[in-house]
Amino acid sequence: GENVEQHPSTLSVQEGDSAVIKCTYSDSASNYFPWYKQELGKRPQLIIDIRSNVGEKKDQRIAVTLNKTAKHFSLHITETQPEDSAVYFCAASIGSSNTGKLIFGQGTTLQVKP
Amino acid sequence: SAVISQKPSRDICQRGTSLTIQCQVDSQVTMMFWYRQQPGQSLTLIATANQGSEATYESGFVIDKFPISRPNLTFSTLTVSNMSPEDSSIYLCSVVRLAGSLLTHNEQFFGPGTRLTVL
């Protein structure tokens, strides 16, 4: 079945450094890739997404890149701040049809040290 | 984004009983989903709640255990039946509101979740 692998499972960086989280997916028909941030005890919040017709998307300190050939996509956070500390989940659409269904990666716990 | 509420926010239940979780959205949405998030784990899709018809379940989830209703475009319920301690999880509803072309995926937003503990 479809699968999304996410690495690393934990990531610790110094404030101001960059953080990179990588995901690979198995379904070649996937064409929508959102990223969610989940703070402790809170709901997952959509922070950025990318569709298969583009290779990169930026929103201030956050960027996502997509390599459809290799079935890889990555989240880049620059100039990290302590409030970036959270669990981050990548996801991929199940198939290309507009079912809205997503499969999630295992999550990355990001710790930003002041 | 849509405003999504869930009730109850948390509950502690005895094994063998059932709990119904409600999800309410402030505007009409095209799709509603139910997810489970076990402690320290990722999100797993349980089913798609279809308006006016039976829900569509993912592999490993069945209607007898997780009956779902969606009587209209803004409301859905998930029941966790005949509970066991293994059902202790956070249950989240999510919604997609059509905001663009039918051919593109639209943003999905989550409710605040219901934290269920089964003793």
Side-chain angles (χ1 to χ4, degrees), chain A residues 52-95:
Chain A
S52 59
N53 57 345
V54 297
E56 185 176 4
K57 183 177 178 180
K58 285 184 180 180
D59 183 3
Q60 300 182 336
R61 295 186 297 109
I62 295 173
V64 58
T65 59
L66 171 65
N67 182 330
K68 280 217 75 178
T69 303
K71 292 192 277 189
H72 290 171
F73 59 113
S74 300
L75 178 71
H76 304 252
I77 306 174
T78 59
E79 301 172 27
T80 53
Q81 301 166 3
E83 50 265 39
D84 294 329
S85 297
V87 180
Y88 290 81
F89 292 99
C90 64
S93 61
I94 298 176

Coordinates of all heavy atoms in Angstrom, one line a residue, chain A residues 52-95:
Chain A
S52 N 2.2 19.2 -7.3 CA 3.2 18.5 -8.1 C 3.6 19.3 -9.4 O 4.5 18.9 -10.0 CB 2.7 17.1 -8.6 OG 1.5 17.3 -9.3
N53 N 2.9 20.4 -9.6 CA 3.3 21.2 -10.8 C 4.3 22.2 -10.5 O 4.7 23.0 -11.4 CB 2.0 21.9 -11.4 CG 1.3 22.7 -10.4 OD1 1.5 22.6 -9.2 ND2 0.4 23.6 -10.9
V54 N 4.8 22.3 -9.3 CA 5.9 23.2 -8.9 C 7.0 22.4 -8.2 O 6.7 21.4 -7.6 CB 5.5 24.4 -8.1 CG1 4.5 25.2 -8.8 CG2 4.8 23.9 -6.8
G55 N 8.2 22.9 -8.2 CA 9.3 22.3 -7.5 C 9.7 22.9 -6.2 O 10.3 22.2 -5.4
E56 N 9.3 24.1 -5.9 CA 9.6 24.8 -4.7 C 8.6 25.8 -4.3 O 8.0 26.5 -5.2 CB 11.0 25.4 -4.8 CG 11.5 26.0 -3.5 CD 12.9 26.6 -3.6 OE1 13.5 26.6 -4.7 OE2 13.5 27.0 -2.6
K57 N 8.4 26.0 -3.1 CA 7.5 27.0 -2.6 C 8.0 27.6 -1.3 O 8.5 26.9 -0.4 CB 6.1 26.4 -2.4 CG 5.0 27.4 -1.9 CD 3.7 26.7 -1.8 CE 2.6 27.6 -1.4 NZ 1.3 26.9 -1.3
K58 N 8.0 28.9 -1.2 CA 8.5 29.6 0.1 C 7.4 30.4 0.7 O 6.5 31.0 0.0 CB 9.7 30.5 -0.3 CG 10.9 29.8 -0.6 CD 12.1 30.8 -0.9 CE 13.4 30.1 -1.2 NZ 14.5 31.1 -1.5
D59 N 7.5 30.5 2.0 CA 6.6 31.4 2.8 C 7.4 31.9 4.0 O 7.5 31.2 5.0 CB 5.4 30.6 3.3 CG 4.4 31.5 4.0 OD1 4.7 32.8 4.1 OD2 3.4 31.0 4.5
Q60 N 8.0 33.0 3.8 CA 8.9 33.6 4.9 C 10.0 32.7 5.2 O 10.9 32.4 4.4 CB 8.0 34.0 6.1 CG 6.9 35.0 5.7 CD 6.1 35.5 6.9 OE1 6.0 34.8 7.9 NE2 5.5 36.6 6.8
R61 N 10.1 32.2 6.4 CA 11.2 31.4 6.8 C 11.0 29.9 6.5 O 11.9 29.1 6.7 CB 11.4 31.5 8.3 CG 11.8 32.8 8.8 CD 12.2 32.8 10.3 NE 11.0 32.5 11.2 CZ 10.9 31.3 11.8 NH1 11.9 30.4 11.7 NH2 9.9 31.1 12.5
I62 N 9.9 29.5 5.9 CA 9.6 28.1 5.6 C 9.7 27.9 4.1 O 9.1 28.8 3.3 CB 8.3 27.8 6.1 CG1 8.3 27.8 7.7 CG2 7.8 26.4 5.7 CD1 6.9 27.6 8.3
A63 N 10.2 26.8 3.6 CA 10.2 26.5 2.2 C 10.0 25.0 2.1 O 10.4 24.2 3.0 CB 11.5 26.9 1.5
V64 N 9.4 24.6 1.0 CA 9.3 23.2 0.7 C 9.8 22.9 -0.7 O 9.5 23.7 -1.6 CB 7.8 22.7 0.9 CG1 6.9 23.5 0.0 CG2 7.7 21.2 0.7
T65 N 10.5 21.8 -0.9 CA 10.9 21.4 -2.2 C 10.4 20.1 -2.6 O 10.1 19.2 -1.7 CB 12.5 21.4 -2.3 OG1 13.0 20.4 -1.3 CG2 13.1 22.7 -2.0
L66 N 10.2 19.8 -3.8 CA 9.6 18.6 -4.3 C 10.4 18.0 -5.5 O 10.7 18.8 -6.4 CB 8.1 18.8 -4.7 CG 7.5 17.6 -5.4 CD1 7.3 16.4 -4.5 CD2 6.1 18.0 -6.0
N67 N 10.8 16.8 -5.4 CA 11.5 16.1 -6.5 C 10.6 14.9 -6.9 O 10.6 13.9 -6.3 CB 12.8 15.6 -6.1 CG 13.6 14.9 -7.3 OD1 13.0 14.3 -8.1 ND2 14.9 15.0 -7.2
K68 N 9.7 15.1 -7.9 CA 8.8 14.1 -8.3 C 9.4 12.8 -8.8 O 8.9 11.7 -8.6 CB 7.7 14.6 -9.3 CG 6.7 15.4 -8.7 CD 5.3 15.2 -9.4 CE 4.7 13.9 -9.0 NZ 3.4 13.7 -9.6
T69 N 10.5 13.0 -9.5 CA 11.2 11.9 -10.1 C 11.7 10.9 -9.0 O 11.5 9.7 -9.1 CB 12.4 12.3 -11.0 OG1 11.9 13.2 -12.0 CG2 13.1 11.1 -11.6
A70 N 12.3 11.5 -8.0 CA 12.8 10.7 -6.9 C 11.8 10.4 -5.8 O 12.0 9.7 -4.9 CB 14.0 11.4 -6.3
K71 N 10.6 11.1 -5.9 CA 9.5 10.9 -4.9 C 10.0 11.3 -3.5 O 9.8 10.7 -2.5 CB 8.9 9.5 -4.9 CG 8.2 9.2 -6.2 CD 7.4 7.9 -6.2 CE 8.2 6.7 -6.5 NZ 7.4 5.5 -6.6
H72 N 10.7 12.5 -3.5 CA 11.2 13.1 -2.3 C 10.6 14.5 -2.1 O 10.4 15.2 -3.1 CB 12.7 13.3 -2.3 CG 13.5 12.0 -2.3 ND1 14.8 12.0 -2.5 CD2 13.1 10.8 -2.0 CE1 15.3 10.8 -2.3 NE2 14.3 10.0 -2.1
F73 N 10.3 14.9 -0.9 CA 10.0 16.3 -0.7 C 10.5 16.7 0.7 O 10.6 15.8 1.6 CB 8.5 16.6 -0.8 CG 7.5 15.9 0.1 CD1 6.8 16.5 1.1 CD2 7.3 14.5 -0.1 CE1 5.9 15.8 1.8 CE2 6.4 13.8 0.7 CZ 5.7 14.5 1.7
S74 N 10.9 17.9 0.9 CA 11.6 18.4 2.1 C 11.0 19.7 2.6 O 10.6 20.5 1.8 CB 13.1 18.5 1.8 OG 13.6 17.3 1.4
L75 N 11.1 19.8 3.9 CA 10.7 21.1 4.6 C 12.0 21.8 5.1 O 12.8 21.1 5.7 CB 9.8 20.8 5.8 CG 9.4 22.0 6.6 CD1 8.4 22.9 5.8 CD2 8.7 21.6 7.9
H76 N 12.2 23.0 4.8 CA 13.3 23.8 5.2 C 12.8 24.9 6.1 O 12.0 25.7 5.6 CB 14.1 24.3 4.0 CG 14.5 23.3 3.0 ND1 15.8 22.9 2.9 CD2 13.8 22.6 2.1 CE1 15.9 21.9 1.9 NE2 14.7 21.7 1.5
I77 N 13.4 25.0 7.3 CA 13.1 26.2 8.2 C 14.4 26.9 8.4 O 15.4 26.3 8.9 CB 12.5 25.7 9.5 CG1 11.3 24.8 9.3 CG2 12.1 26.9 10.4 CD1 10.7 24.2 10.6
T78 N 14.4 28.2 8.0 CA 15.6 29.0 8.3 C 15.5 29.8 9.5 O 14.3 30.1 9.9 CB 15.9 29.9 7.0 OG1 14.8 30.7 6.8 CG2 16.2 29.0 5.8
E79 N 16.6 30.3 10.0 CA 16.6 31.2 11.2 C 15.6 30.7 12.3 O 14.7 31.4 12.7 CB 16.2 32.6 10.8 CG 17.2 33.2 9.7 CD 16.7 34.5 9.2 OE1 15.9 35.2 9.9 OE2 17.0 34.8 8.0
T80 N 15.8 29.5 12.7 CA 14.9 28.8 13.6 C 14.8 29.6 14.9 O 15.8 30.2 15.4 CB 15.3 27.4 13.9 OG1 16.7 27.4 14.4 CG2 15.1 26.5 12.7
Q81 N 13.6 29.6 15.5 CA 13.3 30.2 16.8 C 12.7 29.2 17.8 O 12.2 28.2 17.3 CB 12.3 31.4 16.5 CG 12.8 32.4 15.5 CD 11.7 33.3 15.0 OE1 10.6 33.2 15.4 NE2 12.1 34.2 14.1
P82 N 12.8 29.5 19.1 CA 12.3 28.5 20.0 C 10.9 28.1 19.8 O 10.5 27.0 20.0 CB 12.5 29.2 21.4 CG 13.7 30.1 21.1 CD 13.6 30.6 19.7
E83 N 10.1 29.1 19.3 CA 8.7 28.8 19.0 C 8.4 27.9 17.8 O 7.3 27.4 17.6 CB 7.9 30.1 18.8 CG 8.5 31.0 17.9 CD 9.3 32.1 18.6 OE1 10.1 31.7 19.5 OE2 9.3 33.2 18.1
D84 N 9.5 27.5 17.1 CA 9.4 26.5 16.0 C 9.4 25.1 16.6 O 9.1 24.2 15.9 CB 10.6 26.7 15.0 CG 10.5 28.0 14.2 OD1 9.4 28.5 14.0 OD2 11.6 28.5 13.9
S85 N 9.8 25.0 17.9 CA 9.8 23.7 18.5 C 8.4 23.0 18.5 O 7.4 23.6 19.0 CB 10.3 23.8 20.0 OG 11.6 24.3 20.0
A86 N 8.3 21.9 17.9 CA 7.0 21.2 17.8 C 7.3 19.9 17.1 O 8.4 19.5 16.7 CB 6.0 22.0 16.9
V87 N 6.2 19.1 16.8 CA 6.3 17.9 16.0 C 5.8 18.3 14.6 O 4.7 18.9 14.4 CB 5.5 16.7 16.5 CG1 5.6 15.5 15.6 CG2 5.9 16.4 17.9
Y88 N 6.5 18.0 13.6 CA 6.2 18.3 12.2 C 5.9 17.0 11.4 O 6.6 16.0 11.5 CB 7.4 19.0 11.5 CG 7.6 20.4 12.0 CD1 8.3 20.6 13.2 CD2 7.1 21.5 11.4 CE1 8.5 21.9 13.7 CE2 7.3 22.8 11.9 CZ 8.0 23.0 13.0 OH 8.1 24.2 13.6
F89 N 4.7 17.0 10.7 CA 4.3 15.9 9.9 C 4.2 16.3 8.4 O 3.7 17.3 8.1 CB 2.9 15.4 10.3 CG 2.8 14.8 11.7 CD1 2.4 15.6 12.8 CD2 3.2 13.5 11.9 CE1 2.3 15.1 14.1 CE2 3.1 13.0 13.2 CZ 2.7 13.8 14.3
C90 N 4.8 15.4 7.6 CA 4.6 15.5 6.2 C 3.4 14.6 5.8 O 3.1 13.7 6.5 CB 5.8 15.2 5.4 SG 6.4 13.5 5.5
A91 N 2.8 14.9 4.6 CA 1.7 14.1 4.2 C 1.7 14.1 2.6 O 2.3 15.0 2.0 CB 0.4 14.5 4.7
A92 N 1.1 13.1 2.1 CA 1.0 13.0 0.6 C -0.4 12.5 0.3 O -1.0 11.7 1.0 CB 2.0 12.0 0.1
S93 N -1.0 13.1 -0.8 CA -2.3 12.7 -1.2 C -2.3 11.2 -1.6 O -1.3 10.7 -2.2 CB -2.8 13.6 -2.3 OG -2.0 13.4 -3.5
I94 N -3.4 10.6 -1.4 CA -3.5 9.2 -1.8 C -4.1 9.2 -3.2 O -5.3 9.5 -3.4 CB -4.4 8.4 -0.8 CG1 -3.8 8.3 0.6 CG2 -4.6 7.0 -1.4 CD1 -4.6 7.7 1.6
G95 N -3.2 8.9 -4.2 CA -3.7 9.0 -5.6 C -3.8 10.4 -6.1 O -3.6 11.3 -5.3

